Amino acid sequence: MTNEEILSGGALGRKELITLLNSKNENKLRLFKKAAAIKKQHVRDTVFFRGLIEFSNICRKNCFYCGIRSGNTHVNRYDLSDDEILHAASFAHENNFGSVVLQSGENNSTEFIHRIENLLKAIGKLSGQKLRVTLSLGEQEKETYRRWFESGAHRYLLRIESSSPSLYKKLHPDNENHRFEKRCRCLVDLKETGYQTGTGVMIGLPFQTIGDLADDLLFMKDFDVDMVGMGPYIEHGHTPLYRFRNLLMSREERFELTLKMIAVLRILMKDINIASATALQAIDRSGREKALMVGANVIMPNITPGHYRNDYKLYQDKPCTDDQAEDFISCLKARIALSGNSVAYGEWGDSVHYLSRS
Ligand code: 5AD
Ligand code: SF4
């Protein structure tokens, strides 16, 4: 099938997805246009803000791609106080963000589990239950997911990183802490617990093929996720994967491929929430806004207190623009308006997909 035939509404199997992901020039523009039209029709030209609080870079895992992996001794480890976290959440509430994301390295200690429960309750209280909380705290026991759900978290992000078990193996140490099967199990547990469940992958990894990326999209579709966040892989000097940097596409190519992944996903899953990843901004200053034009509808401004932000370096050149400053927010708003979107303030911004499936 030609690109035009595929875009005019045929079934989207692996072969068609690969064709779309390989599209160039006019075909690529046609893909972007189609994704923008579908976005407008199904989730409107509205953007939801999620205030991202990266509250600790302490992690028990050792993923080969990640700058804050436990084995990296060059990291200044930090853990925000509860007050600092609640202060950031208040900022999001006062600025009508509607929702915050609590993210950190993976920790499954009893103390940590209790701490999150208390923070969830406190955030509910300070916002009069108006602020929605998304958690991004990695793999946990189902019981933990349940406790956090009951304490007020309703969304959870757990990227599958790659849906190919063999590629997953190349990206992680071969031990009990890093099993693909466990990660899939966690996604099932999250959904069964009742969370709006989000996943995602990195794009442009060493050893990754276009076929792998098509399979990633089919994984998201088969799993029937409510939200996706995916971004380009960006190498980090103090990680094991760095030695394969000669296998990588250029950063610009990874950026373009990410935009295509977002556009194809919007066509494949019309009513889900798709986040415009911060990693896009590391390659192109207007990267996040560009993603909004081809299908994404969520932006996660970083509202981690400034002096810690520099230490949450998952990858090199991570932008540490101060998304929290008042003038930054009005600037971001203006740039979003330029992309033809408007910010929905004070709305939870639940995934339309989740609302219709539940
Ligand atoms: N480049 C891009 N994204 C990365 N992540 C971790 N390391 C990198 C990197 N080097 C992503 C992973 C993880 C999320 C929190 O950050 O997908 O799930
Ligand atoms: Fe830890 Fe997540 Fe980084 Fe893996 S990707 S080392 S789990 S912070």
Side-chain angles (χ1 to χ4, degrees):
M1 267 204 285
T2 65
N3 266 271
E4 230 166 335
E5 284 163 344
I6 297 172
L7 288 174
S8 62
L12 288 178
R14 189 171 192 270
K15 213 166 119 215
E16 290 75 25
L17 295 176
I18 291 176
T19 306
L20 291 179
L21 291 175
N22 278 326
S23 55
K24 296 199 169 55
N25 307 323
E26 313 85 71
N27 281 333
K28 187 179 80 181
L29 294 179
R30 209 175 278 140
L31 163 67
F32 288 168
K33 221 168 134 191
K34 177 80 182 181
I38 289 182
K39 176 186 162 187
K40 195 175 182 135
Q41 189 186 347
H42 291 266
V43 295
R44 300 176 293 150
D45 282 330
T46 308
V47 178
F48 300 110
F49 274 172
R50 320 280 190 227
L52 176 63
I53 310 172
E54 295 163 334
F55 67 89
S56 171
N57 63 358
I58 300 169
C59 187
R60 68 187 198 97
K61 292 177 96 173
N62 218 0
C63 310
F64 290 156
Y65 42 83
C66 176
I68 65 169
R69 61 200 300 273
S70 57
N72 183 4
T73 51
H74 299 86
V75 183
N76 212 348
R77 302 284 167 180
Y78 73 86
D79 191 9
L80 259 63
S81 70
D82 287 2
D83 275 354
E84 286 171 312
I85 297 173
L86 295 177
H87 188 261
S90 301
F91 171 86
H93 178 53
E94 281 154 19
N95 283 277
N96 256 319
F97 277 22
S99 153
V100 286
V101 182
L102 292 185
Q103 186 171 72
S104 75
E106 207 173 288
N107 182 340
N108 56 6
S109 69
T110 313
E111 190 194 352
F112 182 81
I113 295 168
H114 284 139
R115 183 179 180 211
I116 299 299
E117 281 186 65
N118 291 333
L119 281 167
L120 287 165
K121 288 176 190 155
I123 292 174
K125 203 160 156 202
L126 74 83
S127 69
Q129 311 303 328
K130 288 239 164 62
L131 206 54
R132 275 279 201 225
V133 183
T134 305
L135 297 178
S136 175
L137 307 174
E139 296 169 24
Q140 304 285 345
E141 294 306 313
K142 191 171 187 185
E143 170 62 11
T144 304
Y145 288 147
R146 191 191 59 75
R147 287 168 75 148
W148 290 345
F149 188 77
E150 283 171 5
S151 303
H154 293 108
R155 304 183 181 134
Y156 205 104
L157 298 172
L158 183 70
R159 286 187 176 182
I160 190 72
E161 314 296 1
S162 167
S163 66
S164 151
S166 62
L167 180 53
Y168 193 92
K169 249 191 175 154
K170 293 197 176 89
L171 305 174
H172 298 94
D174 182 15
N175 64 34
E176 282 315 308
N177 267 345
H178 301 83
R179 292 273 179 255
F180 178 77
E181 296 71 25
K182 165 81 176 149
R183 212 155 177 91
C184 293
R185 179 73 238 166
C186 284
L187 281 170
V188 173
D189 288 346
L190 286 164
K191 216 165 159 193
E192 284 178 359
T193 306
Y195 283 97
Q196 290 182 44
T197 307
T199 194
V201 295
M202 283 174 285
I203 297 157
L205 288 157
F207 317 113
Q208 189 181 45
T209 64
I210 294 290
D212 289 331
L213 289 169
D215 289 335
D216 289 341
L217 294 169
L218 291 171
F219 175 92
M220 295 167 194
K221 175 85 179 165
D222 288 345
F223 195 81
D224 199 28
V225 291
D226 303 304
M227 323 180 281
V228 169
M230 52 186 177
Y233 163 70
I234 301 176
E235 61 278 28
H236 187 296
H238 293 127
T239 58
L241 219 55
Y242 194 61
R243 70 189 165 100
F244 299 110
R245 63 192 177 281
N246 60 324
L247 301 179
L248 299 174
M249 304 171 218
S250 72
R251 287 196 178 189
E252 289 64 34
E253 286 167 314
R254 280 175 261 165
F255 181 85
E256 278 301 303
L257 190 52
T258 303
L259 291 187
K260 286 193 266 183
M261 280 288 281
I262 290 175
V264 178
L265 179 66
R266 177 56 73 199
I267 297 172
L268 193 63
M269 301 191 76
K270 300 180 170 33
D271 58 357
I272 62 169
N273 278 346
I274 304 179
S276 177
T278 313
L280 282 166
Q281 202 192 352
I283 301 182
D284 178 329
R285 282 194 53 183
S286 322
R288 291 190 298 188
E289 291 78 11
K290 287 184 182 163
L292 294 178
M293 296 169 79
V294 301
N297 68 328
V298 169
I299 280 201
M300 297 170 31
N302 193 337
I303 60 166
T304 310
H307 44 294
Y308 296 111
R309 205 167 304 142
N310 213 12
D311 293 320
Y312 204 87
K313 279 235 186 299
L314 303 170
Y315 43 84
Q316 282 173 359
D317 308 322
K318 183 165 176 256
C320 27
T321 40
D322 194 354
D323 283 0
Q324 188 165 16
E326 310 282 323
D327 55 345
F328 183 84
I329 291 188
S330 46
C331 168
L332 182 61
K333 215 163 75 183
R335 295 212 309 256
I336 288 172
L338 279 177
S339 75
N341 289 266
S342 61
V343 181
Y345 283 105
E347 285 185 43
W348 283 344
D350 283 328
S351 140
V352 176
H353 186 77
Y354 172 82
L355 296 175
S356 49
R357 86 171 163 83
S358 49

